[in-house]
Amino acid sequence: MGPIEGLLYGFGVALSLQNLAAALLGALVGTMIGVLPGLGPVAGVAMILPLSYAFDPVTGLIMMAGIYYGAMYGGSTTAILLNMPGESASVMTCIDGYQLTKKGRAGAVLALVAVGSFVGGTISVIGVMLFAPWLAQFGILFGPAEFLAVSAGGLLILSRISGGSFAAGIFPMALGLMLSTIGQEAITAQNRFTFGILELSQGVELVAAVVGLYGIAEILALVESRLAGPPPVPVRLREMMPTGTEWRRSVAPFGRGTLVGFVFGLLPGPSAAMSSFASYRLEKAVSRYRDEIGHGAVEGVTGPETANNAAATSSMVPLLALGIPFGSVTALMLAAMMVHGIQPGPLLMQTNADVFWGVIASLYIGNVALLALNIPMIGLWVSMLRIPRHIFLPIIVVIAVIGSYGVGNSMVDVYVLVLLGVVGYLLRKLDFQLAPMVIGLVLGPLIEKHLREGLFMSDGDAWVFVESPIALAIWAMVALVLAGSALAPLLRRRRG
Amino acid sequence: MGRTHGKGRAYLATGAAGVALSAGYLATARHLPLGEMNQPGAGVFPAIVGILVLLASLAVLWEGWRMPRDATVEFPAGADALRVLGLLGLIVAYVALLPWLGQVAGSFLFCLLLIRLLSDTGWVRAAVQAALIAAVAYFVFIRLLQVQMPRGILGL
């Protein structure tokens, strides 16, 4: 099936009433999650994961994708109106977004961000549509050695470039891998590290772990301060029309942001946050209005916001084409596929064409839904910011507990939620990165599987992992990135 | 205002905890079969992971030792610390009592006390708000979405 045929088939899948409703609901819930503090895209998608098991796999995945890019957009609302990033990808948006709000341009900027997110997401979908099948064809050549190189190497790169020091990435990654070894081992069904607790034989429940690390930890951080933020400025629909100059100045950042975001989405790491940072730096370097950036320029908002939505979309490529997630949200989507018995990987396009093309087509629909929802509903999103903290925090905790218990009807999962909430809070305090921990937890079983399969198939010859040119090239790239990231600070110090 | 602590010392404590964790993990993993190179057993991957956790913990210790003296980490102090600990205590109590109290009564009590902890809302108003949250959660998740939660003393 070629890209055009595949896309038409995907639209046939995604435009069913159930899937259309899932895309719309996902975009709506995602925006709400992004707007409210306490839950970011990762915890939001994790909480919806158990609900997705009740639907068929395509519907569940479509809803999860909708929540992801909805939350990316929602996070920008608090950044622009309150100078509070709803999630890490909106940090750069605060700088110029809040300055523009103080100049009375909040409505226009929110509209430009909605359009930019639509443009970035939609063009990125075209890239996904063309690139993912090509990568999947290439991925058919992969055996255990190549998959081990992509998954273990990708995890190493992610831990190194997630931000912070070497230890800040590698320590949580190792903890995530350690958690992944708890429970029944796949090949011989032997229980490991369960200490006689029957419920642990199913392993550490991903939903509980992720909601604890991101949700409970964030709530503990939020209550550190008694003060609530400033009230948001009211935004009326008639204030949302940007001026001709604002439109003109946004066109080039839309294009640049899309390109930057698409490329970053294909790489391991927190692609949405990294792409918005890179896009901001790019705008500061090349924009005609670079001197105004930092003091309230539309380029400083539209570029990064376009980029983070484009990255959210293109991050589906490694997941759909290789079955390897490079980010926390796509790791959760991988988990959803596996629960439904779908084997992610290069053959997904052939074995589950409805999933592959249905999810891609739903990205188009989701982007249209976001645009349609966000501009008319901006007043609602702003009014949600007025919900007092003492109301929405108990709601989030109650939902987190129900979500964690409901997956396996086990109190052990709820204990994991609380324990990892505390661990996440402490790790964040020390500037450790949480994404490598989540991805370590998800990729651990896959890495073990490829490692043991490779040794079985090669009759115990460990050289098999670096013998094939593809595996060797991947490991060389990993070594290059790791060496580059280690040497860069030394070079910067030498240059003074 | 929070209280600042030396980040280096915090890293040293974390690294030490990591070393202890990896030692316990590796000691437990020793009982798993390693198998042969061509028939790797269930203990191979945990052994690799245990060593990785140990190395990562040593990296944390190294960075903690090399950390500049002026690098600090801020933890809440005074009333702010009490609020964080209060929330944590409430969550732990909620989770511990959930099987006995059940979802509805447990959620109601948790929300009531948390609303009181985070705001100056009076008891009656807080009770109404908590009851609303518990009721909506019950109807949406337990009745509508059929999530099986502990029923507890109320049998709901």
Side-chain angles (χ1 to χ4, degrees):
Chain A
M1 209 183 293
I4 303 295
E5 273 176 295
L7 189 66
L8 289 174
Y9 173 65
F11 272 118
V13 174
L15 283 173
S16 74
L17 197 61
Q18 180 172 299
N19 291 340
L20 204 56
L24 282 168
L25 190 66
L28 197 71
V29 172
T31 309
M32 194 169 78
I33 286 168
V35 168
L36 286 175
L39 279 181
V42 183
V45 172
M47 283 169 71
I48 218 74
L49 187 61
L51 289 182
S52 76
Y53 300 158
F55 302 122
D56 68 64
V58 187
T59 309
L61 288 168
I62 285 174
M63 188 182 276
M64 290 167 85
I67 289 175
Y68 184 26
Y69 43 73
M72 300 306 297
Y73 174 80
S76 61
T77 307
T78 49
I80 291 165
L81 295 178
L82 298 174
N83 201 21
M84 271 170 46
E87 33 78 38
S88 57
S90 299
V91 170
M92 303 316 291
T93 309
C94 286
I95 305 170
D96 284 83
Y98 191 59
Q99 293 292 333
L100 285 160
T101 294
K102 288 206 281 193
K103 290 179 186 171
R105 302 302 302 150
V109 175
L110 285 166
L112 286 169
V113 165
V115 174
S117 297
F118 171 75
V119 171
T122 306
I123 297 176
S124 193
V125 171
I126 297 170
V128 172
M129 185 183 97
L130 298 172
F131 194 62
W134 177 82
L135 189 62
Q137 288 297 323
F138 181 60
I140 289 173
L141 303 173
F142 284 23
E146 290 79 12
F147 275 119
L148 181 78
V150 175
S151 50
L155 187 59
L156 277 171
I157 291 177
L158 169 77
S159 72
R160 194 60 203 96
I161 62 174
S162 287
S165 63
F166 174 75
I170 205 93
F171 184 66
M173 179 199 84
L175 290 182
L177 286 172
M178 195 171 84
L179 288 176
S180 78
T181 60
I182 296 174
Q184 206 170 63
E185 171 262 335
I187 297 176
T188 57
Q190 178 157 8
N191 276 330
R192 298 187 300 202
F193 310 103
T194 54
F195 305 105
I197 302 167
L198 191 66
E199 288 97 327
L200 273 181
S201 61
Q202 295 300 312
V204 171
E205 176 50 50
L206 186 65
V207 173
V210 175
V211 175
L213 284 171
Y214 284 88
I216 300 294
E218 173 69 19
I219 288 168
L220 287 170
L222 273 176
V223 300
E224 277 184 7
S225 138
R226 190 175 175 80
L227 294 173
V233 290
V235 179
R236 290 173 194 84
L237 203 57
R238 64 173 179 273
E239 293 167 0
M240 295 198 66
M241 184 46 79
T243 62
T245 311
E246 284 168 337
W247 279 119
R248 267 194 304 280
R249 285 177 58 170
S250 296
V251 172
F254 284 162
R256 289 190 287 260
T258 301
L259 192 65
V260 168
F262 182 78
V263 173
F264 271 85
L266 302 176
L267 306 174
S271 52
M274 279 172 17
S275 67
S276 65
F277 180 73
S279 169
Y280 190 84
R281 293 289 295 264
L282 181 67
E283 291 305 320
K284 273 208 86 130
V286 304
S287 170
R288 277 176 63 190
Y289 305 94
R290 63 180 82 101
D291 295 339
E292 289 177 37
I293 295 178
H295 309 285
V298 285
E299 293 83 353
V301 181
T302 49
E305 282 298 324
T306 305
N308 69 38
N309 257 52
T313 305
S314 63
S315 65
M316 301 288 165
V317 170
L319 175 73
L320 292 174
L322 299 176
I324 307 269
F326 283 159
S328 301
V329 172
T330 44
L332 290 165
M333 294 178 78
L334 176 83
M337 285 191 202
M338 288 160 87
V339 165
H340 282 291
I342 295 170
Q343 188 60 45
L347 292 174
L348 182 73
M349 199 167 69
Q350 277 128 47
T351 55
N352 293 88
D354 55 336
V355 173
F356 187 92
W357 290 109
V359 170
I360 290 179
S362 82
L363 298 176
Y364 278 107
I365 295 164
N367 279 303
V368 176
L370 266 185
L371 191 67
L373 286 173
N374 284 324
I375 293 183
M377 291 179 77
I378 191 68
L380 175 71
W381 304 132
V382 174
S383 64
M384 281 190 69
L385 291 169
R386 295 196 180 88
I387 298 174
R389 207 173 52 163
H390 66 267
I391 299 293
F392 70 75
L393 290 189
I395 295 173
I396 292 172
V397 177
V398 168
I399 295 175
V401 168
I402 295 174
S404 300
Y405 183 89
V407 185
N409 291 342
S410 161
M411 280 308 292
V412 171
D413 295 338
V414 186
Y415 303 145
V416 167
L417 168 86
V418 179
L419 181 69
L420 288 185
V422 176
V423 170
Y425 173 74
L426 293 174
L427 289 179
R428 277 169 44 145
K429 280 275 167 203
L430 299 175
D431 298 326
F432 285 102
Q433 303 300 314
L434 297 180
M437 191 163 167
V438 173
I439 302 181
L441 175 60
V442 174
L443 285 185
L446 291 177
I447 293 173
E448 179 175 13
K449 176 176 163 259
H450 299 314
L451 175 76
R452 290 172 74 180
E453 268 179 9
L455 288 173
F456 279 131
M457 289 164 68
S458 67
D459 202 23
D461 179 10
W463 286 105
V464 72
F465 295 114
V466 286
E467 263 175 4
S468 90
I470 298 174
L472 192 63
I474 296 169
W475 281 121
M477 270 194 292
V478 172
L480 211 64
V481 172
L482 295 182
S485 66
L487 290 175
L490 292 176
L491 289 173
R492 269 200 299 270
R493 217 174 298 157
R494 185 161 288 182
R495 276 191 211 141
Chain B
M1 273 298 283
R3 183 178 295 160
T4 54
H5 299 265
K7 196 173 180 181
R9 285 174 63 183
Y11 263 56
L12 288 174
T14 309
V19 169
L21 183 69
S22 63
Y25 179 84
L26 282 168
T28 314
R30 237 165 34 93
H31 301 293
L32 296 167
L34 283 173
E36 302 293 328
M37 272 302 271
N38 60 351
Q39 291 281 315
V44 171
F45 190 62
I48 296 170
V49 170
I51 292 166
L52 187 65
V53 176
L54 180 65
L55 293 175
S57 306
L58 293 174
V60 177
L61 283 173
W62 169 256
E63 285 189 8
W65 185 54
R66 303 257 305 163
M67 190 84 68
R69 279 183 173 275
D70 56 356
T72 56
V73 54
E74 190 173 305
F75 281 98
D80 294 341
L82 282 178
R83 210 165 31 253
V84 175
L85 291 172
L87 169 61
L88 190 57
L90 281 178
I91 294 176
V92 170
Y94 174 37
V95 166
L97 296 174
L98 191 64
W100 180 69
L101 280 175
Q103 170 57 28
V104 178
S107 298
F108 169 74
L109 276 178
F110 169 74
C111 294
L112 173 67
L113 296 173
L114 186 54
I115 290 168
R116 290 281 303 161
L117 177 77
L118 298 179
S119 70
D120 299 324
T121 311
W123 280 103
V124 176
R125 198 180 161 91
V128 172
Q129 289 170 341
L132 270 174
I133 295 171
V136 171
Y138 172 75
F139 280 107
V140 172
F141 291 98
I142 294 162
R143 299 300 293 265
L144 195 68
L145 297 172
Q146 302 282 309
V147 178
Q148 298 296 317
M149 291 299 289
R151 289 166 179 265
I153 46 173
L154 293 182
L156 284 171

